[in-house]
């Protein structure tokens, strides 16, 4: 009489939970989330292995050159690209603001970057900011500055509430 096969119990490589037989053959993870995280981790490790090889550096330099050329020649692409970059920075900062320690480190690095600029670079950065403000429509400039003041006031209020909450 043939023996009944008992399903092989496996353990998720990412989180350590048991993987039942219903997951199909040779599954390494217990859920799509674990699979995504495992794949991301494997890709990060692979990237760390190859990022300083001459082939990778050559491919990266070629990619950067083509990207710069396209940004200079294709205004629609440049607008989409910059909008995506701004969104990524906003998302990153929102994540950092949730963790006060990481946010403080981020702010310190940014301040250090600015303080490490040469006086010519610093003056150029300030001149670019002045030129940007000067080119704004007066009505838009007024609205922009009003919104900026409101944001700063809101931050001050939150900081005061936080300080009074600790007492």
């Amino acid at each position: 009489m043939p023996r009944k096969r008992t399903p092989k119990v496996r353990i998720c490589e990412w989180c350590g939970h048991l993987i039942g037989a219903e997951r199909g053959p040779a599954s390494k993870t217990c859920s799509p989330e674990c699979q995504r995280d495992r794949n991301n981790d494997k890709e990060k490790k692979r990237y760390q292995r190859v990022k300083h090889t001459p082939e990778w550096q050559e491919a990266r330099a070629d990619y950067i050159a083509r990207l710069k050329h396209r940004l200079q020649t294709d205004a629609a692409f440049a607008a989409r690209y910059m909008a995506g970059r701004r969104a990524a920075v906003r998302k990153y900062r929102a994540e950092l603001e949730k963790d006060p320690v990481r946010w403080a480190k981020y702010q310190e690095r940014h301040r250090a970057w600015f303080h490490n600029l040469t006086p010519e670079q610093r003056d150029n950065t300030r001149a670019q900011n002045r030129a940007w403000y000067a080119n704004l429509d007066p009505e838009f400039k007024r609205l922009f500055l009003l919104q900026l003041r409101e944001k700063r006031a809101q931050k001050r209020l939150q900081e005061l509430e936080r300080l009074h909450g600790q007492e």
Side-chain angles (χ1 to χ4, degrees):
M1 172 177 222
R3 287 189 326 187
K4 282 188 178 179
R5 265 184 83 177
T6 57
K8 187 175 184 180
V9 177
R10 295 177 304 274
I11 297 175
C12 176
E13 288 183 3
W14 190 251
C15 69
H17 285 98
L18 292 178
I19 303 172
E22 69 276 356
R23 279 288 289 158
S27 180
K28 304 278 189 210
T29 58
C30 63
S31 66
E33 293 80 18
C34 284
Q35 184 177 12
R36 181 198 64 222
D37 293 343
R38 178 178 175 264
N39 289 343
N40 287 345
D41 188 57
K42 284 175 68 175
E43 179 57 25
K44 284 178 188 173
K45 288 177 182 174
R46 185 198 69 80
Y47 176 72
Q48 292 301 323
R49 277 194 321 267
V50 302
K51 74 176 182 179
H52 294 299
T53 62
E55 297 85 14
W56 181 87
Q57 289 175 340
E58 186 179 314
R60 179 74 179 163
D62 180 52
Y63 166 74
I64 297 293
R66 285 186 289 122
L67 181 63
K68 284 182 180 179
H69 176 70
R70 186 162 180 204
L71 287 170
Q72 291 170 351
T73 58
D74 188 352
F77 173 76
R80 284 193 317 272
Y81 180 82
M82 294 311 293
R85 296 305 312 142
R86 285 190 297 272
V89 168
R90 278 195 303 272
K91 181 180 174 186
Y92 178 68
R93 285 183 181 159
E95 285 296 316
L96 283 180
E97 287 177 355
K98 293 177 186 175
D99 182 3
V101 174
R102 288 179 61 209
W103 179 243
K105 281 184 182 177
Y106 173 80
Q107 288 179 318
E108 186 57 40
R109 277 196 321 263
H110 184 72
R111 285 187 202 104
W113 169 83
F114 188 76
H115 289 297
N116 288 333
L117 292 176
T118 64
E120 296 83 24
Q121 290 172 322
R122 199 175 294 159
D123 291 341
N124 188 29
T125 302
R126 288 183 178 136
Q128 287 174 350
N129 289 343
R130 280 194 300 272
W132 185 83
Y133 282 111
N135 290 330
L136 287 177
D137 178 55
E139 180 61 20
F140 183 71
K141 189 178 197 177
R142 187 184 67 76
L143 291 173
F144 177 77
L145 292 175
L146 181 64
Q147 184 182 22
L148 189 63
R149 287 186 195 112
E150 287 175 359
K151 207 182 268 187
R152 286 180 182 157
Q154 186 68 26
K155 270 190 175 177
R156 276 191 234 109
L157 183 63
Q158 288 174 350
E159 184 67 22
L160 286 173
E161 288 174 353
R162 189 180 64 80
L163 290 174
H164 288 295
Q166 289 178 350
E167 292 175 355

